[in-house]
Amino acid sequence: SYELTQPLSVSVALGQTATITCGGNNIGGRNVHWYQQKPGQAPALVIYRDSNRPSGIPERFSGSNSGNTATLTISRAQAGDEADYSCQVWDSFVVFGGGTKLTVL
Amino acid sequence: EVQLVESGGGLVQPGGSLRLSCAASGFTFSNYWMTWVRQAPGKGLEWVANINQDGSEKYYVDSVKGRFTISRDSAKKSLYLQMNSLRAEDTAVYYCARDYAGYLDLWGRGTLVTVSS
Protein backbone atom coordinates (compact mmCIF):
# COMPACT_ATOMS: atom_id res chain seq x y z
CA SER A 1 0.00 0.00 0.00
CA TYR A 2 1.06 3.57 -0.61
CA GLU A 3 2.86 5.28 2.26
CA LEU A 4 3.19 8.95 3.13
CA THR A 5 6.01 10.22 5.32
CA GLN A 6 5.82 13.41 7.38
CA PRO A 7 8.19 14.85 9.99
CA LEU A 8 6.85 14.42 13.52
CA SER A 9 7.34 18.07 14.36
CA VAL A 10 8.19 21.42 12.84
CA SER A 11 8.89 24.65 14.67
CA VAL A 12 8.63 28.17 13.32
CA ALA A 13 9.18 31.61 14.80
CA LEU A 14 6.18 33.88 15.00
CA GLY A 15 5.79 35.74 11.71
CA GLN A 16 8.15 33.49 9.81
CA THR A 17 7.45 30.81 7.18
CA ALA A 18 6.74 27.19 8.10
CA THR A 19 7.30 24.35 5.67
CA ILE A 20 5.78 20.92 6.23
CA THR A 21 6.72 18.11 3.88
CA CYS A 22 4.94 14.95 2.82
CA GLY A 23 7.00 12.31 1.10
CA GLY A 24 5.80 9.50 -1.12
CA ASN A 25 6.92 7.54 -4.14
CA ASN A 26 6.29 9.79 -7.16
CA ILE A 27 3.78 11.75 -5.13
CA GLY A 28 4.00 14.47 -7.73
CA GLY A 29 1.81 12.30 -9.92
CA ARG A 30 -0.99 12.32 -7.37
CA ASN A 31 -3.35 14.89 -5.91
CA VAL A 32 -2.33 15.80 -2.37
CA HIS A 33 -4.65 17.28 0.23
CA TRP A 34 -3.82 18.82 3.59
CA TYR A 35 -5.76 18.96 6.86
CA GLN A 36 -5.29 21.08 9.95
CA GLN A 37 -6.31 19.70 13.33
CA LYS A 38 -6.19 21.93 16.38
CA PRO A 39 -6.21 20.35 19.86
CA GLY A 40 -9.60 18.91 20.74
CA GLN A 41 -11.05 19.70 17.33
CA ALA A 42 -11.88 17.77 14.19
CA PRO A 43 -9.60 17.97 11.16
CA ALA A 44 -10.33 20.67 8.62
CA LEU A 45 -9.30 20.84 4.97
CA VAL A 46 -6.80 23.62 4.28
CA ILE A 47 -5.41 22.64 0.85
CA TYR A 48 -6.90 20.38 -1.81
CA ARG A 49 -5.45 19.09 -5.08
CA ASP A 50 -1.93 20.18 -4.23
CA SER A 51 -2.40 23.93 -4.09
CA ASN A 52 -6.04 24.98 -3.85
CA ARG A 53 -7.48 26.69 -0.81
CA PRO A 54 -11.08 26.13 0.32
CA SER A 55 -13.06 29.27 0.97
CA GLY A 56 -12.18 30.81 4.31
CA ILE A 57 -8.60 29.56 4.35
CA PRO A 58 -6.12 32.47 4.43
CA GLU A 59 -3.80 33.09 1.50
CA ARG A 60 -0.94 32.49 3.93
CA PHE A 61 -1.55 28.76 3.37
CA SER A 62 -0.16 27.38 0.14
CA GLY A 63 0.83 24.02 -1.27
CA SER A 64 3.04 22.49 -3.92
CA ASN A 65 3.77 19.01 -5.15
CA SER A 66 6.58 17.65 -7.31
CA GLY A 67 8.70 14.54 -7.58
CA ASN A 68 8.65 12.64 -4.31
CA THR A 69 7.64 15.52 -2.03
CA ALA A 70 4.54 17.60 -1.45
CA THR A 71 4.86 20.72 0.68
CA LEU A 72 2.50 22.78 2.78
CA THR A 73 3.78 26.31 3.36
CA ILE A 74 2.42 28.66 5.99
CA SER A 75 3.62 32.23 5.61
CA ARG A 76 3.68 34.80 8.41
CA ALA A 77 2.95 32.09 10.96
CA GLN A 78 0.59 33.00 13.77
CA ALA A 79 0.03 31.47 17.18
CA GLY A 80 -3.34 30.26 15.95
CA ASP A 81 -1.62 28.13 13.31
CA GLU A 82 -0.31 25.76 15.98
CA ALA A 83 -1.87 22.43 15.09
CA ASP A 84 -1.29 18.99 13.65
CA TYR A 85 -1.14 18.92 9.87
CA SER A 86 -1.77 15.77 7.86
CA CYS A 87 -1.35 15.12 4.17
CA GLN A 88 -3.61 12.75 2.26
CA VAL A 89 -3.79 11.06 -1.12
CA TRP A 90 -6.14 8.61 -2.78
CA ASP A 91 -4.77 5.12 -3.45
CA SER A 92 -7.85 2.94 -3.95
CA PHE A 93 -8.87 4.44 -0.63
CA VAL A 94 -7.92 7.42 1.52
CA VAL A 95 -4.32 7.35 2.77
CA PHE A 96 -3.06 9.77 5.42
CA GLY A 97 0.43 10.74 6.41
CA GLY A 98 1.32 10.35 10.06
CA GLY A 99 0.85 14.02 10.82
CA THR A 100 3.19 16.86 11.75
CA LYS A 101 2.87 18.95 14.89
CA LEU A 102 3.55 22.61 14.12
CA THR A 103 4.83 24.72 17.01
CA VAL A 104 4.92 28.51 16.69
CA LEU A 105 7.65 29.94 18.90
CA GLU B 1 -25.95 25.12 8.25
CA VAL B 2 -23.81 22.55 6.50
CA GLN B 3 -22.72 20.05 9.12
CA LEU B 4 -22.19 16.48 10.20
CA VAL B 5 -22.97 15.34 13.74
CA GLU B 6 -21.83 11.97 15.05
CA SER B 7 -23.36 10.05 17.94
CA GLY B 8 -23.35 6.59 19.46
CA GLY B 9 -19.90 6.37 20.96
CA GLY B 10 -19.20 5.14 24.46
CA LEU B 11 -17.51 2.55 26.62
CA VAL B 12 -17.85 -1.07 25.51
CA GLN B 13 -16.22 -4.29 26.60
CA PRO B 14 -13.93 -6.24 24.28
CA GLY B 15 -16.05 -8.37 21.99
CA GLY B 16 -18.98 -6.02 22.26
CA SER B 17 -20.82 -3.98 19.66
CA LEU B 18 -21.68 -0.35 18.99
CA ARG B 19 -23.51 1.47 16.24
CA LEU B 20 -22.32 4.93 15.32
CA SER B 21 -24.54 7.40 13.54
CA CYS B 22 -23.76 10.54 11.60
CA ALA B 23 -26.53 13.03 10.82
CA ALA B 24 -26.01 15.27 7.81
CA SER B 25 -27.65 18.62 7.24
CA GLY B 26 -27.38 21.62 4.95
CA PHE B 27 -26.41 19.74 1.80
CA THR B 28 -27.74 17.06 -0.54
CA PHE B 29 -26.56 13.97 1.31
CA SER B 30 -27.42 11.58 -1.50
CA ASN B 31 -24.94 13.27 -3.86
CA TYR B 32 -21.81 12.32 -1.94
CA TRP B 33 -19.60 9.43 -1.01
CA MET B 34 -19.25 9.30 2.77
CA THR B 35 -16.35 8.14 4.91
CA TRP B 36 -15.51 7.11 8.46
CA VAL B 37 -12.08 8.07 9.78
CA ARG B 38 -10.75 7.27 13.22
CA GLN B 39 -7.99 8.60 15.42
CA ALA B 40 -6.58 6.56 18.28
CA PRO B 41 -5.40 8.54 21.33
CA GLY B 42 -2.24 10.43 20.46
CA LYS B 43 -2.10 8.91 16.97
CA GLY B 44 -2.70 10.02 13.40
CA LEU B 45 -5.77 9.76 11.22
CA GLU B 46 -6.80 6.37 9.84
CA TRP B 47 -9.36 5.79 7.11
CA VAL B 48 -11.87 3.13 8.22
CA ALA B 49 -14.53 2.75 5.54
CA ASN B 50 -16.43 4.54 2.83
CA ILE B 51 -19.66 4.15 0.91
CA ASN B 52 -20.92 5.48 -2.38
CA GLN B 53 -23.99 7.56 -2.98
CA ASP B 54 -26.55 4.75 -3.20
CA GLY B 55 -24.84 2.33 -0.82
CA SER B 56 -23.96 -0.20 -3.51
CA GLU B 57 -20.20 0.16 -3.02
CA LYS B 58 -18.53 -0.21 0.36
CA TYR B 59 -14.85 -0.43 1.20
CA TYR B 60 -13.02 -1.12 4.46
CA VAL B 61 -9.54 -0.99 5.90
CA ASP B 62 -8.23 -4.53 6.34
CA SER B 63 -8.21 -4.34 10.14
CA VAL B 64 -12.02 -3.97 10.33
CA LYS B 65 -13.15 -6.18 7.46
CA GLY B 66 -15.72 -8.70 8.63
CA ARG B 67 -16.32 -6.79 11.88
CA PHE B 68 -17.54 -3.35 10.80
CA THR B 69 -20.35 -2.49 8.40
CA ILE B 70 -20.91 0.92 6.86
CA SER B 71 -24.38 1.89 5.67
CA ARG B 72 -26.49 4.93 4.91
CA ASP B 73 -30.10 6.04 4.81
CA SER B 74 -30.69 8.85 2.36
CA ALA B 75 -34.23 9.48 3.60
CA LYS B 76 -32.84 10.13 7.08
CA LYS B 77 -29.69 11.82 5.72
CA SER B 78 -27.66 9.58 7.96
CA LEU B 79 -24.50 7.51 7.81
CA TYR B 80 -23.89 4.54 10.10
CA LEU B 81 -21.06 2.33 11.26
CA GLN B 82 -22.00 -0.96 12.89
CA MET B 83 -19.02 -2.18 14.89
CA ASN B 84 -18.94 -5.77 16.14
CA SER B 85 -16.30 -7.88 17.89
CA LEU B 86 -14.66 -4.73 19.17
CA ARG B 87 -11.05 -4.82 20.28
CA ALA B 88 -8.93 -2.57 22.46
CA GLU B 89 -7.16 -1.32 19.34
CA ASP B 90 -10.47 0.03 18.02
CA THR B 91 -10.42 2.66 20.77
CA ALA B 92 -10.47 6.00 18.97
CA VAL B 93 -12.41 9.09 18.11
CA TYR B 94 -14.51 8.24 15.06
CA TYR B 95 -15.23 10.99 12.55
CA CYS B 96 -17.63 10.94 9.67
CA ALA B 97 -16.62 13.00 6.67
CA ARG B 98 -17.96 13.98 3.30
CA ASP B 99 -15.87 12.74 0.43
CA TYR B 100 -15.59 15.14 -2.48
CA ALA B 101 -13.56 13.71 -5.36
CA GLY B 102 -10.94 12.06 -3.19
CA TYR B 103 -10.62 14.57 -0.39
CA LEU B 104 -12.68 15.09 2.76
CA ASP B 105 -14.16 18.56 2.66
CA LEU B 106 -16.54 18.38 5.61
CA TRP B 107 -15.98 16.66 8.94
CA GLY B 108 -18.06 16.03 12.01
CA ARG B 109 -16.76 16.71 15.51
CA GLY B 110 -16.31 13.03 16.23
CA THR B 111 -17.52 10.50 18.78
CA LEU B 112 -15.28 8.64 21.20
CA VAL B 113 -15.30 4.85 21.30
CA THR B 114 -13.49 3.21 24.21
CA VAL B 115 -13.06 -0.54 24.25
CA SER B 116 -12.05 -1.70 27.71
CA SER B 117 -13.02 -4.15 30.39
Side-chain angles (χ1 to χ4, degrees):
Chain A
S1 62
Y2 194 80
E3 294 188 357
L4 296 173
T5 302
Q6 296 184 240
L8 284 177
S9 63
V10 168
S11 297
V12 62
L14 186 68
Q16 298 304 302
T17 298
T19 300
I20 299 172
T21 59
C22 176
N25 184 31
N26 193 28
I27 195 173
R30 299 173 181 263
N31 287 316
V32 178
H33 321 293
W34 291 91
Y35 302 89
Q36 176 193 67
Q37 186 176 23
K38 296 181 179 181
Q41 297 185 17
L45 183 71
V46 293
I47 293 288
Y48 64 97
R49 295 178 190 156
D50 298 341
S51 59
N52 296 279
R53 282 177 290 105
S55 64
I57 301 301
E59 292 184 6
R60 301 185 298 104
F61 288 79
S62 62
S64 63
N65 184 18
S66 179
N68 293 319
T69 305
T71 302
L72 173 68
T73 301
I74 305 171
S75 304
R76 303 182 299 282
Q78 301 177 0
D81 297 332
E82 278 206 348
D84 290 328
Y85 292 86
S86 298
C87 57
Q88 178 248 309
V89 300
W90 177 262
D91 182 56
S92 299
F93 50 85
V94 168
V95 177
F96 291 103
T100 298
K101 179 177 178 59
L102 177 67
T103 300
V104 180
L105 303 172
Chain B
E1 181 184 2
V2 177
Q3 64 177 355
L4 297 167
V5 179
E6 301 93 336
S7 60
L11 174 63
V12 61
Q13 292 187 340
S17 298
L18 274 179
R19 187 194 195 208
L20 306 184
S21 299
C22 171
S25 59
F27 66 97
T28 305
F29 179 71
S30 59
N31 285 356
Y32 295 88
W33 282 74
M34 296 297 295
T35 293
W36 286 100
V37 173
R38 68 184 178 183
Q39 186 171 36
K43 302 297 185 180
L45 302 170
E46 180 185 35
W47 173 81
V48 175
N50 65 355
I51 186 169
N52 72 339
Q53 290 89 336
D54 65 5
S56 61
E57 296 183 50
K58 305 174 184 181
Y59 301 96
Y60 302 90
V61 67
D62 284 347
S63 60
V64 309
K65 284 180 182 176
R67 301 188 299 123
F68 289 12
T69 302
I70 189 171
S71 62
R72 65 190 296 163
D73 184 330
S74 288
K76 295 182 177 180
K77 297 183 180 180
S78 291
L79 176 72
Y80 305 102
L81 187 67
Q82 177 67 43
M83 304 186 296
N84 299 330
S85 303
L86 282 161
R87 306 167 181 168
E89 54 265 36
D90 296 318
T91 293
V93 175
Y94 285 73
Y95 298 99
C96 70
R98 186 174 73 179
D99 187 332
Y100 187 84
Y103 57 90
L104 306 176
D105 70 335
L106 179 67
W107 295 67
R109 298 183 67 174
T111 187
L112 176 62
V113 172
T114 302
V115 183
S116 175
S117 55

